[in-house]
Amino acid sequence: MPMKGRYPIRRTLEYLQKGEIIFKKRVKIMTVNYNTHGELSEGARKFVFFNIPQIQYKNPWVQIMMFKNMTPSPFLKFYLDDGEQVLVDVEGKDYRQISQHVKKILGKSDEVLHAEAQAKMQASHPANFGPKKYCLRECICEVEGQVPCPSTTPLPKEMTGKYRAKMAESQD
Amino acid sequence: MPCIRFSATDMFQVIGGRSVQAARLLAPRSAVVVEAVRGRKSRTDPVAKSKEGRIKVPPSIDPVEMVVLKERYSEYELIMRALRMEFREEVLRKKYEEEMGSQAELRARQEEEEHRALMDWNNQENLRILEARVLRIQQEEEEAERKKMEAAIQREQKQQEFIRQKEEEILKLQEEAKNFVTLENLDQRIEEALDNPKNYNFAIDKEGKVVKRTVLQ
């Protein structure tokens, strides 16, 4: 049984990584109030169903809470770290509109994301050798086309240090 | 000659120890020191037969070489330490500038302004939706009112209908009451009935023609 649920595509990594909304650092809590029945909450319901997994995947440190059937009209509320609360009314809106709206007011813009990606790329030099945590490779023997690691296959005799030393000695 | 073991950089603080004390001396306070475990034998196992009379002798030290090496090593260590501290300071300075430098204030103010602009835009959107909602609620109220009125009118009409029907029935009954047989009419009606015998028989053929003349006295 590979697929579970109504739209199991929402559980795939590919779908989650396509999420566009990455919140600014100051957004800490997101709250969605919506109703389970009614035409006006339709957009909010779809937003919760399709976009919340993406948002949570991209912002693992933001707390997201859903409240059902508490108010007559649906809305989103964001709590920033300086105590400010941002109210977003989503009555009658389409889920794509809601997501674009949220991205505009509280998401990191494309230029900022680009700049951050660039900075991260600059900080890690791909030509460095070192522990796997910081660099891509630890030894040249890991690269394709190079001499394989002597721990797995013994080197040909001419490349070993002791043979070379013997040859150098016997020559002098 | 001290056994020098230099770690790769300050970033990767893993020091494999051949001589644990030297490693402990050289390592900065926060490094993880891995104890070297070697040999199968425990403390109580006797010495091997081949190693019975063995006296371990450390390698002999050449004093001249020792002096030269010590000097060179001290210089080398000095330079390395200086470099490391330089790099550490550079990183700290960058971090400080990032958070509290002149650029940071400018950036913070810019972000504030942008944030305020976005919040205003958001508030406007909210107001727009609020107005739409107020309108909608008004319309719904009017609808409800109208429906209520209509329902009331319908009810009224139905009641009127009902009353009218009942009145009609009463009138019909009154009309029919004129033809009723009462105690006074009884004799008279009996006389009439006996005088005019009614014949209910009739015949009908396949074409549908009714024939009233039948066999009767």
Side-chain angles (χ1 to χ4, degrees), chain B residues 37-48:
Chain B
V37 175
R38 212 159 61 123
R40 299 170 299 109
K41 294 192 168 180
S42 77
R43 307 167 59 163
T44 51
D45 291 333
V47 178

Side-chain angles (χ1 to χ4, degrees), chain A residues 73 84 87 89 91 101 105, chain B residues 115 122 126 129 133 136:
Chain A
S73 70
E84 192 185 338
L87 172 70
D89 207 341
E91 192 171 11
H101 186 96
I105 50 171
Chain B
H115 187 252
N122 183 44
N126 282 353
I129 292 188
R133 193 195 347 218
R136 193 174 38 82

Side-chain angles (χ1 to χ4, degrees), chain B residues 38-152:
Chain B
R38 212 159 61 123
R40 299 170 299 109
K41 294 192 168 180
S42 77
R43 307 167 59 163
T44 51
D45 291 333
V47 178
K49 238 184 355 186
S50 58
K51 303 274 187 297
E52 247 169 16
R54 183 162 186 254
I55 303 171
K56 286 193 206 161
V57 173
S60 50
I61 300 175
D62 188 8
V64 178
E65 185 197 12
M66 176 72 163
V67 162
V68 168
L69 274 180
K70 247 202 157 111
E71 207 190 286
R72 288 189 191 174
Y73 267 122
S74 67
E75 200 184 315
Y76 171 77
E77 274 183 359
L78 184 79
I79 296 173
M80 288 295 276
R81 219 180 310 134
L83 279 173
R84 279 198 204 106
M85 296 198 30
E86 273 289 333
F87 293 143
R88 207 179 298 159
E89 200 194 316
E90 188 187 327
V91 166
L92 286 173
R93 199 186 321 132
K94 265 202 187 151
K95 209 158 89 103
Y96 178 81
E97 267 204 41
E98 189 64 55
E99 285 179 15
M100 291 188 256
S102 54
Q103 291 289 337
E105 267 192 47
L106 219 79
R107 231 184 310 142
R109 232 177 302 143
Q110 242 184 350
E111 280 195 26
E112 262 297 319
E113 284 177 19
E114 282 174 14
H115 187 252
R116 229 173 304 156
L118 289 169
M119 292 299 115
D120 288 332
W121 183 74
N122 183 44
N123 284 340
Q124 278 182 0
E125 284 285 318
N126 282 353
L127 280 173
R128 196 169 57 85
I129 292 188
L130 175 75
E131 281 166 17
R133 193 195 347 218
V134 160
L135 238 93
R136 193 174 38 82
I137 288 182
Q138 251 185 9
Q139 277 178 350
E140 276 179 12
E141 271 182 26
E142 281 172 16
E143 274 285 323
E145 275 290 324
R146 204 168 49 80
K147 276 209 162 66
K148 221 166 55 150
M149 299 289 286
E150 273 188 20

Side-chain angles (χ1 to χ4, degrees), chain A residues 157-172:
Chain A
K157 208 160 51 136
E158 292 83 21
M159 287 205 223
T160 56
K162 64 158 86 168
Y163 179 81
R164 284 211 191 149
K166 197 158 61 92
M167 286 291 120
E169 244 188 50
S170 67
Q171 268 191 356
D172 300 339

Side-chain angles (χ1 to χ4, degrees), chain A residues 9-100:
Chain A
I9 192 176
R10 296 175 294 145
R11 306 170 99 211
T12 54
L13 270 179
E14 203 185 316
Y15 176 84
L16 292 173
Q17 280 159 2
K18 283 226 177 77
E20 288 177 346
I21 304 184
I22 301 181
F23 285 131
K24 297 183 183 150
K25 205 155 59 105
R26 46 170 120 186
V27 177
K28 299 290 181 216
I29 306 175
M30 173 173 158
T31 296
V32 186
N33 265 286
Y34 64 104
N35 295 332
T36 45
H37 295 90
E39 190 58 45
L40 301 161
S41 279
E42 184 62 32
R45 275 196 297 269
K46 282 226 163 68
F47 177 74
V48 164
F49 191 70
F50 287 116
N51 290 351
I52 294 276
Q54 289 175 323
I55 297 177
Q56 183 78 96
Y57 182 77
K58 290 283 179 171
N59 307 282
W61 291 99
V62 170
Q63 178 181 12
I64 302 183
M65 294 215 65
M66 253 70 80
F67 296 107
K68 299 189 196 38
N69 299 324
M70 297 189 76
T71 66
S73 70
F75 62 92
L76 270 61
K77 200 148 187 174
F78 298 89
Y79 298 81
L80 310 184
D81 64 359
D82 54 356
E84 192 185 338
Q85 297 176 6
V86 182
L87 172 70
V88 178
D89 207 341
V90 298
E91 192 171 11
K93 279 195 179 166
D94 190 31
Y95 71 102
R96 274 179 280 247
Q97 285 176 355
I98 299 174
S99 118
Q100 270 170 8

